Amino acid sequence: MRLTFRSSGMPNTSARPKHGRRTRRRRREDPAKNELVSSSLESAQQCLFNQDYGTAFVHYLLVLNLAPMFKDFARESFRFTLFKWTEELDSVGRIQDLFDCYEQALELFPADEVILNSMGEHLFRMGFRDEAAGHFHKALKLRPDYPEARENFYRVANWLVERWHFLMLNDHGRNRKYQQAIHKAVQSGCDTVLDIGTGTGILGMCAKKAGAAEVYACELSKTMYELACEVLSANGMDGSIKILHKKSLEMELPKDIPHRVSLVVTETVDAGLFGEGIIESLIHAWHHLLLPPQRGENEFQDQSATGRVIPAGATVFGMALESVEIRRHHRLCVSEVGGLSIADAGQLCSPVSCSPEPDDSMEPYTTERLSRVPGGYRALTEPFTALNIDFNDVQELEGLSSRAVQQIRMPVTQEGQLDALAVWFQLHLDEESSLSTGPQEDTCWEQAIYPVYSTDGFVLKPEDELVVDVSCRDAFLRLCSVAVLRDGREIRLERRPDPQDSANSASNAEAELCSALAGLQTDHDQTKGFCMLECSEMALLNNRDYHQSFYAALAKLLPKLRAQCQNRERDSEGDSPDGSDLLYVLDVSEGFSLLSLIAAGLGHVKAFSSVEKTKQQEVLRRLARSNSVPEHHLEFWLNHMEDEHGMLKRPSREKLWSAIMLDCVETCGLIRQKLMEKASLARCLLEDGGSIFPAKIVVHGMLVESDTLLLESAVQGQEPTLGFNIAPFINQFTVPVHVFLDFSTLECRHLSESVELFVLDLMDSTVNYTNREVKVRATSAGRITAIPFWYHIYLDQEISVSTLSQNSHWKQAAVVLQQPVEVRARDQVRLAVKLHKSAISISAHIENTPGPMEQ
């Protein structure tokens, strides 16, 4: 179909331009230029008709650069051409050319929200999340009601301005302590200051307010740099604080700052203390940006001639613990799911390894807020001191990575499975003031978690001693539980014991020790079968209820379809009277999934998996063999695809799918983007009687009052933060939908019973809607601050799974209201629920007339 402009025809290049009453003398027209523009515009249209998008794009660039007056006329066709051409470039891996095209397009249309949003989508798919979020934000600034950009921005805003910025600015105790430490240092003579990783600029402004003569700041994130510039300007400090958009490691004298400073302030620390590069940045600062440190206890030394750092140092603490929640996200805990034995899966683990040896493919730790871990945790040891570090001693900083591994022995105080080591720290701002990130503190910090990978879990007992190695091989703090001392004997952990060592130990060990060693033994086949799964994939693999539900739903559907097929063959006297023709099932789940193998295990099924990673495909093949699934009954669909965007199509010219399993909900708690479009396409690919799994999704929610969600969503209160005007600028990055929530441990008051908010029918699009009004009765008085929501996922009319269940791999999400709504008990609350594509929005209003419950 030929693409045509909205105009009735080609523009008349000789038409008289529209001017006011008085005009200047018209410029002399260039006939050759006009002819070139006209012919190029015609060529662009012809190329579009021929689907030659690359050539059409070049023609449009020529036309719009030579004749900008055609921009409004050609905007939609230019966009269409750009998007089609960049899709082709993306499919063949010409990434640089793709972004060159977008840059050229934005030179012509710098304020085009559609082009900005599309470029952001490409950036996000390629992993450039911060840059993508910046483009979405620019698109929203240009058009606040643009739903596509709004949905994209909300999904990636955590990478633009991370949620901990709000928590930190709402942490009044932390803010005051930093302000006091900076004020004291400046007043003692440290009047030239560098703020490393300035964020919103608050620490640099504290230094200036304390009387510092010169203040400099640097920030790597472009978004945070721009935000800090706005904050400084609003507080009248843009002329007195010089802020640089670069890493401190790239700063030089006198290019960036004129001379060495006497004070560095920073909070570039993460839950594991060193994960944001504070060691490297401080070593560089001491060598290139800071005055030399104070020497000895010479009270007559000129303080202005010496340098110092806030924070001055830290003490790191650790503790061994048991936690079912942590365990199921990091190691295999089941031997059978969905009718399959997974004993031969091989050695599976999450990408978090507390090995003392650096490995670029593994993270040294993950993070949890232990006070909110579902199911809680059990401390198996008392807290122990793992490390002390002095940030004002450059020799100590430089020697950290080469420091010998420290071995610590801790008495076990409670019996339990050893699942992880938890780490937190006390940050010493100066000799008098400190901040703790411990699990019992009311703070914005999480704790670092170092999972333990033993085959079946290892039970510690009182009077055992746990041996832990502490090191900083690559400036990351690494803790590794290496052994248990029991009754004078050593049981090694965290490594595969040599079989000969096991035999020698067994000759004279007690039966319990033999059992422990056997439990920790890993055979050679498993070592060869090592495979890494994401934490959410591991939790999904451990979810028996999820897999059993799919097994039951498939076991109901497939025999019916098989009987239909056999009846058709008998009626048509086909050449397959024995029913040997296989049913075809497609699993398009994101990441690692067993669903295709569960389908194949039911017999008479050819199942196609969307698993893409080679090692994960090997795991499925190994499980297929061990569960007697014929090799040709399991195939990997993406191995047949040139482009993963084309996964939803017929299995062959002669075949349709008996069942298609869609991955409908993201781990974070949101509906997957373009779900309904995928469901619409999937329905067209089903044989008669076939089904999409799930068939229906019901969204449930509840009214709650939660100060925690408010603190995580925006800077609260009317008072300026430490006297600085910050909230209006950072709050423009407030996201109304919070994700990755654990509703079971969220600090909140329930103000209503749960209520059905929305229904998405994937098998019948005619019953779906985009707006719904829901009425719910308040059961308690309070302030409605948020509506958490979750999903009941119906595989068929009878079988369902819930994203709220205790062993779910999914988290929940919540809509946080812009303004809390006061309610009394028995007030009726009217919720306006809207669904745009896959984004849910909810607003709440009070209906004061009590009456029977309506929905």
Side-chain angles (χ1 to χ4, degrees):
M1 179 177 178
R2 183 167 185 170
L3 183 71
T4 58
F5 295 118
R6 289 184 174 180
S7 172
S8 58
M10 288 295 295
N12 184 351
T13 56
S14 62
R16 180 174 297 175
K18 297 178 181 179
H19 294 290
R21 290 184 178 179
R22 296 186 179 183
T23 64
R24 295 183 180 180
R25 189 174 63 181
R26 293 175 59 188
R27 291 181 180 177
R28 183 175 300 172
E29 292 186 352
D30 184 343
K33 175 182 170 182
N34 288 346
E35 178 61 29
L36 178 59
V37 168
S38 181
S39 63
S40 290
L41 200 52
E42 290 179 1
S43 297
Q45 287 184 298
Q46 186 60 45
C47 289
L48 282 183
F49 177 71
N50 296 328
Q51 298 184 353
D52 182 0
Y53 301 117
T55 307
F57 181 73
V58 173
H59 280 298
Y60 274 125
L61 286 180
L62 179 63
V63 169
L64 298 177
N65 277 295
L66 289 176
M69 73 282 292
F70 288 145
K71 283 185 178 181
D72 289 340
F73 172 79
R75 182 189 295 262
E76 288 192 22
S77 294
F78 177 74
R79 283 175 179 167
F80 178 85
T81 306
L82 169 68
F83 300 155
K84 285 293 186 180
W85 177 226
T86 52
E87 281 178 13
E88 287 188 17
L89 293 173
D90 193 6
S91 67
V92 295
R94 292 171 58 183
I95 306 305
Q96 187 58 56
D97 290 338
L98 182 154
F99 286 117
D100 286 345
C101 289
Y102 271 108
E103 293 295 343
Q104 291 170 314
L106 287 172
E107 286 178 8
L108 289 168
F109 298 99
D112 190 300
E113 73 279 3
V114 179
I115 295 176
L116 282 165
N117 180 68
S118 180
M119 184 174 182
E121 290 176 341
H122 278 286
L123 286 164
F124 182 74
R125 285 200 296 271
M126 294 171 190
F128 300 104
R129 290 168 172 169
D130 189 68
E131 294 83 352
H135 280 74
F136 298 145
H137 188 239
K138 287 177 183 175
L140 272 181
K141 277 188 171 181
L142 291 165
R143 184 179 153 196
D145 64 341
Y146 184 23
E148 282 76 12
R150 186 170 61 246
E151 180 178 347
N152 285 329
F153 173 68
Y154 288 162
R155 285 175 179 267
V156 301
N158 286 338
W159 289 287
L160 195 62
V161 174
E162 295 181 272
R163 301 301 95 188
W164 53 259
H165 282 287
F166 297 115
L167 283 171
M168 288 174 67
L169 290 169
N170 285 318
D171 189 339
H172 303 298
R174 169 255 180 200
N175 296 338
R176 283 194 302 271
K177 286 184 177 181
Y178 253 101
Q179 184 183 42
Q180 291 164 1
I182 292 170
H183 184 271
K184 189 165 65 172
V186 171
Q187 291 297 305
S188 69
C190 297
D191 66 345
T192 53
V193 182
L194 171 62
D195 179 4
I196 295 178
T198 193
T200 60
I202 188 171
L203 299 186
M205 291 191 296
C206 284
K208 194 64 188 176
K209 188 176 181 179
E214 301 172 38
V215 180
Y216 308 94
C218 62
E219 174 56 52
L220 179 60
S221 163
K222 188 173 187 296
T223 300
M224 291 307 301
Y225 163 77
E226 292 172 349
L227 176 60
C229 289
E230 288 184 290
V231 170
L232 294 182
S233 178
N235 288 275
M237 293 188 181
D238 50 332
S240 56
I241 296 178
K242 179 182 179 182
I243 182 169
L244 302 164
H245 177 216
K246 60 170 52 179
K247 292 178 69 172
S248 67
L249 297 174
E250 299 169 353
M251 292 177 62
E252 302 174 5
L253 299 179
K255 175 184 174 183
D256 296 308
I257 58 177
H259 49 73
R260 290 177 179 253
V261 298
S262 52
L263 177 65
V264 160
V265 296
T266 188
E267 201 177 33
T268 50
V269 291
D270 69 340
L273 187 59
F274 302 143
E276 290 190 16
I278 191 172
I279 298 299
E280 188 180 15
S281 63
L282 288 183
I283 290 173
H284 176 268
W286 278 117
H287 283 302
H288 303 285
L289 307 173
L290 254 173
L291 290 168
Q294 184 176 352
R295 302 295 181 186
E297 300 296 328
N298 185 356
E299 60 180 306
F300 301 107
Q301 187 171 1
D302 181 6
Q303 293 293 318
S304 65
T306 63
R308 60 183 292 193
V309 175
I310 296 176
T315 301
V316 180
F317 301 95
M319 176 176 69
L321 56 83
E322 175 185 75
S323 168
V324 173
E325 181 73 5
I326 293 173
R327 181 189 313 156
R328 71 188 189 92
H329 279 84
H330 295 283
R331 69 171 186 257
L332 188 62
C333 304
V334 295
S335 58
E336 181 275 332
V337 291
L340 297 174
S341 168
I342 54 176
D344 292 326
Q347 187 177 357
L348 307 179
C349 72
S350 79
V352 185
S353 169
C354 47
S355 166
E357 297 297 327
D359 183 345
D360 290 340
S361 67
M362 308 286 277
E363 295 290 334
Y365 51 82
T366 183
T367 63
E368 293 281 357
R369 192 180 297 274
L370 287 176
S371 61
R372 296 191 205 166
V373 168
Y377 68 94
R378 176 185 295 175
L380 305 181
T381 66
E382 295 293 335
F384 63 92
T385 300
L387 183 74
N388 280 292
I389 186 72
D390 183 353
F391 294 145
N392 284 304
D393 187 334
V394 66
Q395 285 76 30
E396 185 174 335
L397 296 173
E398 289 177 320
L400 189 64
S401 290
S402 58
R403 184 185 292 186
V405 175
Q406 179 187 9
Q407 195 163 89
I408 300 173
R409 294 186 178 186
M410 297 176 295
V412 175
T413 56
Q414 285 199 72
E415 180 172 328
Q417 276 200 48
L418 176 60
D419 291 318
L421 299 172
V423 162
W424 64 93
F425 55 87
Q426 193 168 16
L427 202 60
H428 308 297
L429 302 183
D430 55 24
E431 62 277 5
E432 297 177 355
S433 183
S434 64
L435 299 169
S436 173
T437 68
Q440 305 305 321
E441 302 290 336
D442 183 16
T443 175
C444 60
W445 293 92
E446 296 183 325
Q447 291 75 50
I449 302 297
Y450 297 77
V452 173
Y453 294 101
S454 50
T455 305
D456 300 314
F458 184 72
V459 176
L460 294 179
K461 297 185 176 183
E463 300 181 0
D464 285 348
E465 278 191 311
L466 181 63
V467 182
V468 174
D469 283 353
V470 180
S471 62
C472 297
R473 288 290 299 273
D474 55 349
F476 276 100
L477 180 63
R478 296 180 179 274
L479 272 72
C480 180
S481 49
V482 295
V484 173
L485 302 179
R486 177 175 295 171
D487 299 329
R489 304 185 184 278
E490 181 179 86
I491 304 173
R492 300 296 296 176
L493 306 172
E494 296 298 344
R495 70 175 180 88
R496 183 169 60 85
D498 184 85
Q500 186 61 43
D501 290 343
S502 297
N504 293 338
S505 299
S507 63
N508 57 3
E510 299 172 0
E512 185 178 9
L513 181 57
C514 294
S515 176
L517 285 167
L520 293 169
Q521 185 73 26
T522 306
D523 63 40
H524 290 284
D525 290 338
Q526 283 184 314
T527 303
K528 291 178 182 177
F530 174 84
C531 179
M532 189 186 302
L533 300 181
E534 295 298 326
C535 297
S536 58
E537 293 173 332
M538 188 69 77
L540 172 59
L541 185 56
N542 285 319
N543 189 341
R544 281 196 179 98
D545 293 343
Y546 174 90
H547 292 99
Q548 185 59 36
S549 296
F550 273 92
Y551 174 81
L554 286 165
K556 282 173 63 178
L557 174 70
L558 297 179
K560 294 179 183 177
L561 296 179
R562 194 174 302 124
Q564 289 178 12
C565 180
Q566 291 170 347
N567 290 337
R568 284 195 300 267
E569 289 167 354
R570 282 196 298 268
D571 293 343
S572 62
E573 298 180 351
D575 57 1
S576 299
D578 59 352
S580 60
D581 200 17
L582 298 175
L583 301 177
Y584 280 58
V585 173
L586 174 63
D587 174 19
V588 291
S589 299
E590 300 280 339
F592 184 77
S593 171
L594 288 178
L595 298 184
S596 59
L597 191 55
I598 289 173
L602 289 167
H604 206 79
V605 171
K606 184 162 189 172
F608 289 78
S609 168
S610 61
V611 169
E612 185 175 15
K613 295 179 180 177
T614 302
K615 286 194 173 183
Q616 294 182 358
Q617 291 183 359
E618 291 173 1
V619 171
L620 289 181
R621 289 192 182 98
R622 197 158 53 241
L623 290 176
R625 289 193 295 270
S626 65
N627 284 275
S628 303
V629 174
E631 184 176 347
H632 66 282
H633 282 201
L634 176 66
E635 289 202 31
F636 296 98
W637 190 231
L638 286 176
N639 293 354
H640 304 279
M641 302 285 111
E642 293 183 4
D643 181 3
E644 65 179 62
H645 299 299
M647 281 200 300
L648 285 172
K649 62 181 185 180
R650 295 173 70 122
S652 67
R653 183 175 300 175
E654 301 80 18
K655 281 284 186 181
L656 289 168
W657 300 105
S658 299
I660 297 176
M661 291 170 278
L662 296 178
D663 201 347
C664 299
V665 178
E666 296 183 31
T667 306
C668 68
L670 297 179
I671 296 171
R672 288 203 180 274
Q673 288 184 301
K674 300 185 178 179
L675 170 63
M676 299 313 291
E677 292 94 321
K678 290 179 181 177
S680 178
L681 180 55
R683 286 193 299 271
C684 300
L685 302 173
L686 293 174
E687 66 168 295
D688 186 28
S691 182
I692 298 172
F693 289 143
K696 182 175 68 174
I697 300 173
V698 180
V699 187
H700 291 262
M702 179 184 290
L703 309 180
V704 303
E705 178 177 359
S706 174
D707 290 335
T708 298
L709 286 177
L710 292 179
L711 293 173
E712 292 176 353
S713 66
V715 178
Q716 300 297 311
Q718 302 299 317
E719 293 296 319
T721 307
L722 298 180
F724 303 119
N725 186 21
I726 298 175
F729 303 96
I730 194 167
N731 282 354
Q732 64 183 308
F733 295 95
T734 294
V735 176
V737 179
H738 281 238
V739 295
F740 285 111
L741 295 178
D742 278 307
F743 190 35
S744 64
T745 59
L746 176 68
E747 295 177 9
C748 67
R749 289 181 58 234
H750 295 186
L751 301 181
S752 76
E753 301 294 335
S754 64
V755 61
E756 181 183 296
L757 297 176
F758 222 83
V759 178
L760 292 174
D761 195 316
L762 276 62
M763 287 296 292
D764 185 358
S765 62
T766 62
V767 302
N768 287 320
Y769 41 79
T770 56
N771 297 280
R772 189 185 184 206
E773 188 175 282
V774 179
K775 294 180 180 179
V776 56
R777 180 82 64 214
T779 55
S780 301
R783 293 183 310 147
I784 305 171
T785 59
I787 298 100
F789 59 90
W790 58 93
Y791 312 94
H792 285 182
I793 301 174
Y794 287 85
L795 305 183
D796 58 25
Q797 291 184 345
E798 300 169 341
I799 301 173
S800 68
V801 295
S802 171
T803 65
L804 195 62
S805 66
Q806 187 176 2
N807 60 352
S808 170
H809 65 289
W810 290 293
K811 301 298 184 182
Q812 293 81 51
V815 172
V816 180
L817 302 181
Q818 286 188 335
Q819 294 294 331
V821 176
E822 295 281 350
V823 291
R824 300 167 301 180
R826 295 192 55 75
D827 274 353
Q828 189 161 267
V829 182
R830 179 165 47 87
L831 301 179
V833 186
K834 297 181 180 180
L835 183 75
H836 179 265
K837 294 190 175 178
S838 57
I840 293 176
S841 61
I842 305 173
S843 59
H845 305 278
I846 301 296
E847 291 186 352
N848 290 319
T849 306
M853 187 66 182
E854 297 180 35
Q855 286 190 28

